[in-house]
Amino acid sequence: MNKHEQMLAPELAQLMRILLLLSLFVLFQHLTLAQSVQKPKLTVTPLNDQVYVHTTYGLYRGTPVGSNGLIVKTKDGVVLIDTGWDTDTNTDNTRDIVQWVADNLHQPIRLCIVTHAHEDRVGGIHELRKAGIRVVSTPLTAQKSVKLGYESPDGILPNDTTFTIGQEPIRCYFAGEGHTSDNIVVWLPNQKILHGGCLVKSVAAFGMGNLADANLNAWAGTIQNVMKQFGDARIVVPGHEEWGDKKSLEHTLTLLKKHAAAKK
């Protein structure tokens, strides 16, 4: 090593120490931020004296996002539409829903209907099974749930079926592919309430959200089928964000058009 190199060596060592400290600082900040992201707790909002929206939160791209399902009170117990947004290692959200029903409605949960195989719909199946609650879906959703690493719901629902629990008719309807290949909607004819799930976008939504398993070519036609079947809906509950009237169905079509135009 010549004299010039000997003179530079301490400076290079100092520079390396500074870079190492900066890297550690950035890593610490990243870990602190990740730990500081707190998901809101369960909220339950009444739509009337029989039907409630349960909203639980998961992380989507590092941000807490609410997911909507239904709690339907009947004369013979409660029916859930979708589990809480849980994972294969944490089912706290669904546990909170079960506890809320016990504390506030004082009725057993007879059944849960899951509307498609994503974790915001099926993530809490194990928790419900532990509580002795039956979970049902279409055969396709049951198959897809297992592939995702979740317990399989009972895949017994035809593509269009209506059954009654405690004098409350419930219709499960597959209108076609859209958000996923297996997405169904659930219709409560006595209440004129439609649970559109993730097939339907809230009027508050600015984009299409998770399109990983979407069929963008079929989605608009599927929404049109829903509009024909449930044109007298008073309340439409989307899978995420705000709920309201049938405007969310039209808004979903608008977002699909905008998404298609942006791709051209």
Side-chain angles (χ1 to χ4, degrees):
M1 180 182 294
N2 58 39
K3 285 186 177 181
H4 182 67
E5 290 173 331
Q6 289 175 344
M7 292 175 62
L8 287 176
E11 295 179 7
L12 288 172
Q14 180 67 14
L15 179 60
M16 292 298 293
R17 284 194 291 271
I18 292 172
L19 289 174
L20 177 60
L21 287 172
L22 284 173
S23 298
L24 290 173
F25 176 76
V26 171
L27 178 61
F28 176 77
Q29 289 290 93
H30 177 75
L31 291 173
T32 301
L33 180 62
Q35 291 172 355
S36 67
V37 175
Q38 296 292 324
K39 295 185 295 183
K41 295 293 186 180
L42 163 74
T43 61
V44 178
T45 308
L47 298 179
N48 57 34
D49 60 355
Q50 278 188 262
V51 184
Y52 306 77
V53 177
H54 65 74
T55 303
T56 56
Y57 291 81
L59 293 179
Y60 180 65
R61 296 178 179 174
T63 301
V65 175
S67 175
N68 304 321
L70 296 185
I71 298 170
V72 184
K73 181 181 178 182
T74 80
K75 293 181 179 179
D76 189 31
V78 169
V79 178
L80 298 181
I81 313 300
D82 290 323
T83 76
W85 188 340
D86 285 319
T87 68
D88 56 351
T89 58
N90 187 329
T91 55
D92 286 353
N93 280 327
T94 300
R95 188 178 304 117
D96 288 346
I97 294 171
V98 172
Q99 190 63 52
W100 186 92
V101 171
D103 292 343
N104 294 274
L105 301 184
H106 311 291
Q107 286 185 308
I109 299 173
R110 297 296 187 194
L111 186 71
C112 177
I113 301 163
V114 291
T115 56
H116 67 272
H118 278 168
E119 66 180 22
D120 54 342
R121 309 291 137 191
V122 302
I125 290 178
H126 178 68
E127 189 66 35
L128 295 178
R129 286 267 174 77
K130 281 200 306 182
I133 299 165
R134 189 181 190 189
V135 185
V136 300
S137 72
T138 63
L140 182 55
T141 294
Q143 294 167 16
K144 289 164 70 78
S145 296
V146 173
K147 289 181 180 178
L148 287 172
Y150 294 102
E151 290 188 21
S152 174
D154 295 339
I156 61 169
L157 297 177
N159 282 349
D160 186 3
T161 185
T162 301
F163 54 89
T164 300
I165 295 179
Q167 300 180 18
E168 188 68 38
I170 299 170
R171 183 181 180 189
C172 302
Y173 180 64
F174 175 72
E177 297 188 13
H179 173 69
T180 62
S181 61
D182 62 324
N183 46 214
I184 64 171
V185 299
V186 179
W187 171 241
L188 305 176
N190 286 353
Q191 317 293 331
K192 303 297 183 191
I193 293 173
L194 177 69
H195 177 63
C198 298
L199 177 69
V200 178
K201 306 300 294 183
S202 168
V203 293
F206 291 97
M208 294 305 301
N210 179 13
L211 297 176
D213 300 313
N215 185 335
L216 290 167
N217 294 325
W219 200 331
T222 299
I223 291 293
Q224 289 166 351
N225 289 340
V226 170
M227 294 169 75
K228 290 175 185 175
Q229 289 289 329
F230 310 110
D232 58 342
R234 289 199 295 260
I235 299 174
V236 178
V237 180
H240 302 279
E241 300 185 82
E242 300 171 13
W243 53 87
D245 58 19
K246 293 180 292 183
K247 291 177 184 175
S248 57
L249 298 171
E250 292 285 357
H251 184 63
T252 305
L253 293 177
T254 299
L255 289 177
L256 284 163
K257 289 177 183 177
K258 287 181 178 179
H259 183 82
K263 292 294 183 181
K264 290 182 180 178

